[in-house]
Amino acid sequence: MNVKELVGKMTLEEKASLCSGLGWWNTKPVERLGIPSVMVTDGPHGLRKQAGEGDHLGLNESVPATCFPTAAGLASSFDRELIATQGRALAAEAQANDVSILLGPGTNIKRSPLCGRNFEYFSEDPYLAGEMAASYINAVQSEGVGTSLKHFAMNNQETARNSGNSVVDERTMHEIYLAPFETAVKKAQPATIMNSYNQVNGTFNCQNEYLLTKVLRDMWGFEGYVMTDWGAMHDRVAALKAGCDLEMPSMSTANDEKIVAAVKSGELDEAVLDRSVERMLNILYRWIETGKKDVTLDLAAHHRLARKIAGETMVLAKNEGGVLPLDTSKSTAIIGAYAEKIMFQGGGSSHINNPYLDNVLEEYGKVASGEVIYAKGCKQNGETTDELIAEAIEAAKKAENVLIVAGSPQETEGADRKSMALPKGVVKMITAVAEAHPGAALVLTCGAPVELPFLDKLGALLIAYLGGQAAAGAIVDIVTGAVNPSAKLAETWPMNHRQSPAHPNFGKSGDVRYEEGIWVGYRWFDAHDIKPRFRFGHGLSYTTFEYSEPRVSASEITEGEPLTVSADITNTGSRAGAEIVQLYVGQDICRKVTRPIKELKGFEKVRLEPGETKTVTFTLDRRAFAFWDVSKHDWVIETGTFTVSVAPCSCPKRQKSVTVKVNSTSETLEPLTLESTIGEILATPHAMEVFGPLMQAAQSMAPATGDDEMFSAEGMMEMAMGIPIGTALSFIGGQIDPNVVLGMLRQINSLNGIE
Ligand code: BGC
């Protein structure tokens, strides 16, 4: 299809009509030219196609579709291929239902554990979130179905989501909040992007030219079209100019008419409208040409697939004394109403009408040969009674194994949680059972971190997240040992919400100040040496792994040269298992900005038989070492040493590290003068070549520090580093001529290309 030619044949009114939807879920057709109407519909982990009355809050019934694990768990798999498998299955469900664009994935950063939509988002870490989003998009689109990467951008809370103004500085935006979108756009080119409801620094996102044109298109090269979130349009003409192409949904033609009037009055250049129409038609015809027709669905097969995937998304957070896996020949007390009816998805627009739903009680019964006793313990809504608690205690005392299934029923779009506390009845029940039966195992179903006041009393904790319709089957696979858990946390679990960095500035209406800046998640906990409940990247297995020291392809590279890092991982236990190997990078000293101690820049999942060793290799590109320089509005590397670590989690004690020097070609060096400190001078490229002999001379003139001196040589040295060179020269009383030093500084400046 020659889209340009087609646009040329359209009247002004026809073009404007394409800029808003036909009702809830469709684009408008132009019958005169044979342009069809196509359907776009939710959502990230399952299809929510409403055949009857539409709404964007998941209120009205939709067609039966598989509810796969939600993003919170999926990201915990750290598995690009796994998410791609789910993506291809989602695409098949979309095709079988004649849907051209799936409204997902959501890749907003988890700024606070309280955000109501965290279950729909991947991570607190931009690298992980970006990789997951890119794999999802590539997989769905490889089957001919488009995606809508959402919610762009800085939409990290549900409180006042339609009006709030996220106040974020440029570096934080690019390093943390935009980075996952950037990766997804560059690696996967989503067909569409959905702009979020909120404002950023005073401008609604639908008309935010910086985000929709400068960043998305000019910097990242996005080729698809931008649509609004449902009801996120404000000034239609301003939005078109800023780069927002399609308004969704639409119940009237009022905004189309505004576009026509603006072109006629000269307020809007018709070329801007043509550009948007062209973008939309390009995507529409791509789907028509590449979308698979006559796809038939096997929902039973997808249910089995959902169970397999879910088994890779659940995190074994504690397993003292190897409580799990349970010996199923022994008697087992299964406690908690969620064992009968699992919590498996959140509320809102991602709510799926699932055709099947496993439950733990039944699935456990299928594989256990020992007696199974059930006690409700507390109700589905989290309330309990003395009678229910007494029954639960009795069951727990009687049985050899105890498995509690509980969780948080509060995860939904449109509202944030007020705290991380579980309902009181749930806490009471878990505590009572754990006290009655030391070593009890708890399975938690939740979309985001919760407080765990009873953790010390438990033998084991499996965090199942919201694992989709087959979650219960997958839980049973893990607790019985049929599946060896391998997932790791894609977010820090703080003790409580007050421990989280965004806390004082989260959940506000009006201005929402991102005052914690880049210090999100583990970056914050690392910097302040605060021990959370569970660290980012933490997760256990039924086997154990050992890591070798990492090896690097070079100890010094020039910016842009790839660096290869490898380590050998050995399965030292007695079961086959998979290990998620994480790679972190941190700059030791950065003069221009304060950087996190370390940041995730690579991960690989490796499957190992008992005793087997495999080498895991990562290749780091220039971005792995760069920060966002606000003076250049770009990514820059500062010359210096970096600590590159390979580790099983983000815990500082578990990092195996190597140091690498990177020489920058992108930093702008300030000219050195007599006011530059000795530290600044020595950190400048070429300084040692020019300055080495002088340093030695200066050292020989410095007073010697003996064993009985109050100040150590290191301390003196550190003090000297902070002194401007001109001041230092005056201390040594004219023994070195300042003009000689000035000449040397000029020489260093000129070697670095600075006048
Ligand atoms: C949500 C989107 C969703 C849309 C359509 C909005 O309320 O924020 O994520 O895709 O509705 O259901």
Side-chain angles (χ1 to χ4, degrees), residues 24-25 41-44 48 50 55-58 103-104 117 120-121 150-151 155 158 161 194 197 228-231 348-350 413:
W24 280 97
W25 305 116
T41 201
D42 288 303
R48 187 176 70 96
Q50 291 180 316
D55 69 79
H56 65 307
L57 297 171
L103 303 177
R117 290 191 96 166
E120 286 186 72
Y121 298 147
K150 63 190 189 182
H151 307 88
N155 171 202
E158 291 299 283
R161 71 165 173 165
M194 186 189 290
Y197 292 114
T228 60
D229 196 345
W230 267 231
S349 62
S350 67
E413 172 181 340

